[in-house]
Amino acid sequence: MSIVTVVCNATPLINFAAINRLDILKATFGQIVIPQAVCDETTVKGFPASEFVLQAIAANWLQVRQVSTITSNIPPELDDGEREAIALALETGELQILLDEREARQVAQSLGLQVIGTLSILLLAKNRGIITQVKPVLDAMINYAQYWGSRPLYEQVLRQTRELFE
């Protein structure tokens, strides 16, 4: 399997770290890069699962990189982590970015980045045989990471993975 590098914002990292399943991100993408603002958000501000993020950084498959500039086409209304993650993806030429928030996703797509959200990460992981079922992981995220998705979207994902039977 070739190592694919992706840039990650805080929310997908938080979703997987909160349930101690960062292994899914590592197995799906190999190398993940986060900007300093995302590192701060997931390790410094008292996030309960910060130990898992710090372990991933120590293991070197999760790397923290400084952003040199945030261009004016990245709106200041986005939070610092989102702005830095988008800037880092553009700066490094990594076209894939892990992002969940709608506004940030729209900005990233308008700048030519391929956006992958938490649900798509779970689908990729299942398709690649990294996890056998999406439902237990998604349910854990909803219960422990406060991950929120609409009921129709939840059901659509489980139908897609043949884990929801009408």
Side-chain angles (χ1 to χ4, degrees):
M1 178 182 118
S2 64
I3 300 260
V4 176
T5 303
V6 296
V7 173
C8 188
N9 184 39
T11 308
L13 202 55
I14 289 168
N15 288 333
F16 286 92
I19 61 167
N20 194 12
R21 290 306 310 265
L22 286 176
D23 60 297
I24 295 172
L25 286 178
K26 181 182 182 210
T28 305
F29 299 105
Q31 190 71 56
I32 297 175
V33 177
I34 58 173
Q36 188 62 54
V38 169
C39 180
D40 293 347
E41 194 175 331
T42 57
T43 61
V44 177
K45 295 182 179 172
F47 168 55
S50 62
E51 64 187 286
F52 303 128
V53 177
L54 290 168
Q55 287 167 5
I57 292 168
N60 210 34
W61 64 263
L62 183 64
Q63 295 184 347
V64 183
R65 297 227 185 112
Q66 297 294 329
V67 175
S68 55
T69 54
I70 297 179
T71 54
S72 60
N73 54 2
I74 302 172
E77 298 78 39
L78 299 181
D79 78 25
D80 289 346
E82 293 163 353
R83 294 181 79 227
E84 283 193 18
I86 293 168
L88 187 60
L90 294 171
E91 204 172 281
T92 59
E94 302 298 347
L95 297 181
Q96 292 185 323
I97 186 167
L98 309 181
L99 267 175
D100 280 324
E101 295 75 16
R102 179 178 292 135
E103 297 82 7
R105 291 170 67 95
Q106 289 169 343
V107 170
Q109 287 168 332
S110 75
L111 296 171
L113 299 174
Q114 180 194 352
V115 176
I116 303 169
T118 294
L119 294 176
S120 295
I121 295 166
L122 291 173
L123 292 172
L124 277 171
K126 179 163 183 184
N127 291 342
R128 294 176 183 175
I130 294 162
I131 56 175
T132 55
Q133 288 185 299
V134 166
K135 189 177 188 308
V137 180
L138 183 53
D139 288 346
M141 284 180 180
I142 291 166
N143 294 327
Y144 302 108
Q146 283 77 52
Y147 179 76
W148 184 88
S150 68
R151 189 74 197 173
L153 186 58
Y154 174 86
E155 291 175 358
Q156 177 191 340
V157 167
L158 295 184
R159 265 195 296 279
Q160 228 175 310
T161 59
R162 295 182 174 84
E163 295 176 48
L164 179 71
F165 306 101
E166 314 285 340

